[in-house]
């Protein structure tokens, strides 16, 4: 064999040996030793695949810039009272890191998008223009709408085309979001910058006295991580561990690296969205102070839940309230204390990087004078939901990477080494679109097929789904078209902060989670709903299924 073939052969041999040894050591050693082993493996894998040089070390511009707050979009009412909203996906340049211009994609701007404020029960008409050079979709994540307007892979919008779905959101107020969902390209399009908040309003928070003045004592925070090359361009899937989920070393809040926010002394509400492709955050304040969780993915809880740390998986949302009434003149830091929790979510070292094994800062809150707004933390919020299953239980197995998937992963090494990620580099600024459409990760031993309906359920019924994770890592499991309740985790009641309506649940390795999901909207075979892992590189490479509601 020639020199190039010999190098490839050596890389494959080292990878297989490393994975086998690393996995055994990670399982057999104590927590600290396993973490060290993970660091060694992560470094070996990054070096093997020739990772790009970063602009600067992560954290070099801590709290030097102001937190941007996405502008609210309330829609324009027509003569019939329908609210019209217009979004355009397009390209531009953003200053993710101070002094560095990065090509990005966004809605109605260069990055992310406006916050859609939609009243509960009000008919709306969306007008989505694709100003990109590639097909896309727009999924209303967490919205209870029909499959025809859900924005999944079957709602493809061609370049230059306009998609105009109409729907009414009758579900309780909550912090939802929107993002692209094209089959095999969701990961790179979200990573390029496409996404935004969607808030359903019903006035309940104001009646309860919760903080609700948007941009003042009610802040939306989209948490993301990104990797940049020496020229400031986004780097996507150029290292072997990226196949397990794309993680970066620059930490952004609303598109800016580690910003600061001026907030009034008083009760402060933070709407937290994990908009990262794969990273799990263990959120806490640097001084260890208590905060209260008041809402999960899709609505308020029965009562506030006091915590000092909160695990947030990709696509999960949570609303927290923190007491700053006596903090005028002080500064607080919101961070991820990842090392306390995240390494234990994996039994193999490759998906775990240095940031998963430590802690990193996200946002500084600078407390100013009181605003004069009257806000409080009530003892009770909303009545607890009490749905009952009226269908036989259905089981799902999260296989993660199967044996064939590992061999397929090995075949990707040459393409990733070339820097293109195996597909055309037609992302912003020539960003690689990575690898998608490979049979690498599975649910129930099957890989996603656009023409296959995996599950059928009945309209108006409440399903009981048992989701078992048989893989070596935790997976965030998302269901379209509904909000569900977590009935149990391994037979035990969920923690108090997980007892409200959700649409994403982190299923730990070896765990079985029971979900109660009512289905009130139709989804036919032409526009089915999806269920999938919300680690986007898993979703893009097989870990997704389709179901109808009729």
């Amino acid at each position: 064999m020639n020199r190039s073939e010999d190098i490839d052969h050596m890389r494959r041999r080292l990878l297989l040996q490393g994975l086998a040894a690393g996995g055994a050591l990670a399982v057999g050693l104590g927590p600290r030793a396993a973490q060290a082993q993970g660091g060694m493996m992560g470094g070996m894998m990054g070096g093997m695949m020739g990772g790009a040089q970063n602009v600067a070390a992560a954290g070099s511009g801590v709290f030097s810039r102001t937190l941007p707050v996405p502008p609210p979009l309330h829609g324009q009412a027509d003569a019939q009272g329908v609210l019209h909203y217009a979004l355009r996906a397009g390209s531009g340049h953003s200053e993710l890191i101070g002094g560095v211009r990065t090509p990005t994609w966004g809605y109605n701007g260069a990055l992310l998008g406006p916050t859609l404020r939609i009243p509960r029960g009000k008919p709306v008409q969306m007008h989505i223009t694709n100003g990109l050079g590639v097909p896309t979709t727009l999924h209303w994540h967490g919205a209870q709408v029909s499959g025809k307007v859900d924005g999944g892979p079957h709602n493809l919008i061609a370049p230059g085309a306009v998609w105009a779905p109409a729907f009414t959101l009758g579900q309780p107020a909550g912090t939802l979001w929107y993002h692209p969902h094209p089959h095999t390209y969701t990961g790179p399009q979200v990573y390029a910058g496409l996404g935004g908040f969607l808030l359903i309003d019903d006035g309940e928070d104001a009646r309860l006295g919760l903080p609700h003045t948007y941009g003042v004592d009610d802040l939306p925070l989209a948490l993301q991580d990104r990797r940049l090359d020496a020229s400031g361009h986004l780097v996507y899937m150029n290292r072997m561990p990226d196949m397990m989920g794309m993680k970066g070393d620059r930490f952004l809040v609303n598109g800016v690296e580690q910003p600061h926010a001026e907030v009034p002394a008083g009760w402060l509400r933070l709407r937290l969205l994990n908009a990262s492709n794969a990273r799990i955050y263990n959120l806490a304040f640097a001084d260890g102070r208590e905060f209260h969780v008041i809402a999960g993915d899709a609505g308020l809880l029965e009562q506030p839940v006091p915590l000092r740390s909160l695990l947030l998986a990709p696509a999960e949302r949570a609303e927290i309230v923190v007491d700053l009434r006596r903090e005028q003149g002080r500064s607080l830091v919101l961070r991820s204390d990842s090392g306390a929790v995240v390494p234990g979510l994996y039994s193999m070292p490759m998906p775990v990087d240095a940031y998963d094994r430590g802690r990193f800062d996200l946002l500084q809150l600078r407390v100013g004078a009181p605003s004069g707004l009257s806000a409080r933390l009530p003892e009770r919020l909303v009545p607890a939901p009490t749905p009952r299953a009226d269908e036989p239980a259905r089981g799902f197995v999260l296989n993660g990477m199967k044996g064939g998937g590992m061999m397929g992963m090995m075949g990707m090494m040459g393409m990733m080494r070339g820097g293109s990620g195996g597909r055309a580099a037609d992302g912003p600024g020539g960003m690689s679109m990575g690898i998608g459409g490979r049979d690498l990760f599975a649910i129930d031993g099957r890989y996603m097929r656009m023409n296959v309906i995996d599950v059928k359920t009945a309209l108006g019924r409440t399903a009981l789904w048992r989701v078992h994770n048989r893989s070596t890592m935790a997976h965030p499991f998302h269901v379209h078209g509904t909000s569900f309740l977590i009935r149990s985790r391994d037979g035990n009641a969920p923690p108090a902060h997980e007892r409200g309506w959700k649409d994403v649940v982190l299923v730990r390795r070896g765990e079985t989670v029971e979900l109660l999901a009512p289905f009130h909207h139709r989804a036919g075979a032409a526009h089915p709903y999806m269920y999938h892992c919300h680690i986007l590189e898993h979703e893009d490479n097989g870990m997704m299924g389709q179901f109808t509601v009729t």
Side-chain angles (χ1 to χ4, degrees):
M1 71 178 60
N2 60 36
R3 178 176 173 80
S4 176
E5 291 172 336
D6 187 57
I7 291 173
D8 283 346
H9 176 73
M10 179 179 68
R11 282 187 172 125
R12 290 183 174 90
R13 181 167 53 83
L14 285 173
L15 176 61
L16 287 173
Q17 291 174 347
L19 287 175
L25 285 171
V27 172
L29 296 177
R32 292 188 179 181
Q35 291 175 25
Q37 174 72 12
M40 180 176 67
M41 283 297 300
M44 183 184 80
M45 299 308 301
M48 184 186 301
M49 297 316 300
Q53 180 67 36
N54 292 321
V55 174
S60 61
V62 175
F63 315 138
S64 61
R65 299 167 64 202
T66 301
L67 173 77
V69 176
L73 200 62
H74 293 276
Q76 296 291 324
D78 63 17
Q80 287 72 44
V82 177
L83 290 176
H84 292 257
Y85 296 79
L87 293 174
R88 183 184 186 277
S91 59
H93 287 78
S94 304
E95 199 171 322
L96 309 179
I97 297 171
V100 178
R101 281 172 54 82
T102 298
T104 55
W105 288 350
Y107 298 108
N108 296 3
L111 184 72
L112 298 175
T115 295
L116 305 181
R117 304 298 300 256
I118 300 181
R120 181 181 185 181
K122 189 80 169 179
V124 301
Q125 177 86 58
M126 298 292 179
H127 305 268
I128 315 302
T129 301
N130 181 3
L132 305 170
V134 297
T136 189
T137 76
L138 191 52
H139 170 50
W140 318 107
H141 183 120
Q144 296 177 27
V145 296
S146 73
K148 287 185 178 180
V149 296
D150 178 64
H154 295 272
N155 293 119
L156 207 61
I157 312 169
V162 177
W163 182 49
F167 50 81
T168 300
L169 297 177
Q171 65 202 86
T175 299
L176 281 55
W177 66 304
Y178 58 92
H179 63 79
H181 208 307
H183 184 43
T184 79
Y185 284 92
T186 299
Q189 291 199 6
V190 171
Y191 193 84
L194 294 172
F197 284 92
L198 189 164
L199 307 185
I200 302 176
D201 296 319
D202 64 4
E204 188 65 27
D205 54 355
R207 288 190 290 272
L208 289 167
L210 290 166
H212 63 275
T213 305
Y214 183 81
V216 180
D217 62 358
D218 182 358
L219 298 180
L221 304 179
L223 312 178
Q224 296 176 304
D225 56 337
R226 294 292 183 267
R227 188 186 305 159
L228 304 180
D229 65 16
S231 62
H233 287 62
L234 290 168
V235 174
Y236 184 69
M237 292 189 74
N238 71 325
R239 302 176 184 173
M240 198 64 183
D242 298 342
M243 288 299 302
M244 303 303 294
M246 182 65 200
K247 296 178 179 179
D249 55 5
R250 315 305 294 246
F251 299 99
L252 314 177
V253 183
N254 294 351
V256 170
E257 183 183 35
Q258 296 169 315
H260 69 266
E262 306 290 335
V263 297
W267 289 101
L268 177 68
R269 179 183 186 176
L270 302 177
R271 299 177 186 256
L272 303 166
L273 160 64
N274 184 348
S276 297
N277 283 38
R279 188 174 297 282
I280 297 172
Y281 298 90
N282 185 40
L283 298 171
F285 287 97
D287 62 1
R289 73 175 54 224
E290 183 179 85
F291 55 86
H292 287 80
V293 181
I294 61 168
D297 294 334
L300 293 170
L301 299 174
E302 183 180 15
Q303 60 190 40
V305 179
L307 291 177
R308 295 186 187 273
S309 65
L310 174 66
L311 199 67
L312 207 65
E316 278 192 303
R317 289 91 63 209
E319 299 179 27
I320 68 171
V321 171
V322 58
D323 186 0
L324 304 180
R325 289 175 295 176
R326 299 175 181 85
E327 306 294 340
Q328 183 174 347
R330 294 192 59 190
S331 294
L332 289 72
V333 172
L334 180 67
R335 62 170 37 156
S336 180
D337 188 10
S338 297
V341 178
V342 173
L345 300 174
Y346 306 85
S347 63
M348 294 285 283
M350 191 163 68
V352 183
D353 67 7
Y355 299 97
D356 290 328
R357 295 187 298 274
R359 63 168 61 99
F360 50 88
D361 295 339
L362 294 164
L363 172 71
Q364 183 188 55
L365 300 173
R366 299 177 181 177
V367 186
S371 64
L373 299 170
S374 64
R376 65 188 185 95
L377 182 67
E379 292 184 3
R380 311 292 294 184
L381 296 171
V382 298
T386 56
R388 290 180 175 271
D390 50 17
E391 283 191 342
R394 182 184 298 275
F396 297 82
V397 175
L398 307 182
N399 306 108
M401 180 169 285
K402 290 167 62 66
M406 177 60 72
M407 297 311 297
M409 186 173 173
M410 304 302 301
M412 303 300 104
M413 291 181 64
M415 289 184 287
M416 294 182 72
R417 188 178 68 253
S420 70
R423 297 198 287 198
D426 52 8
M431 184 193 88
S432 164
M433 299 304 280
I435 296 170
R438 311 285 174 168
D439 290 344
L440 300 179
F441 304 93
I443 299 177
D444 291 332
R446 300 190 296 271
Y447 303 105
M448 168 66 182
R449 295 291 184 267
M450 287 282 281
N451 62 345
V452 174
I453 301 301
D454 301 279
V455 172
K456 297 179 180 179
T457 192
L459 182 67
R461 307 295 288 274
T462 297
L464 173 61
W465 285 10
R466 292 194 178 104
V467 184
H468 175 65
N469 185 354
R470 197 177 288 168
S471 78
T472 61
M473 62 185 288
H475 294 278
F477 184 75
H478 172 48
V479 184
H480 287 215
T482 186
S483 299
F484 55 70
L485 292 180
I486 301 175
R487 189 169 85 163
S488 68
R489 285 183 174 275
D490 280 342
N492 301 310
H497 70 278
E498 286 191 330
R499 294 181 188 175
W501 291 113
K502 291 181 62 60
D503 51 68
V504 180
V505 58
L506 184 67
V507 187
R508 293 162 174 81
R509 53 194 174 92
E511 186 179 37
T512 298
V513 175
E514 290 188 327
L515 309 175
L516 285 169
F519 292 102
H520 300 305
H521 297 271
R522 294 183 183 276
H527 295 93
Y529 291 134
M530 307 289 129
Y531 57 89
H532 60 86
C533 175
H534 221 287
I535 295 174
L536 299 183
E537 289 68 40
H538 293 189
E539 169 193 329
D540 282 344
N541 288 284
M543 202 168 181
M544 181 159 65
Q546 304 189 115
F547 70 102
T548 58
V549 179
T550 55

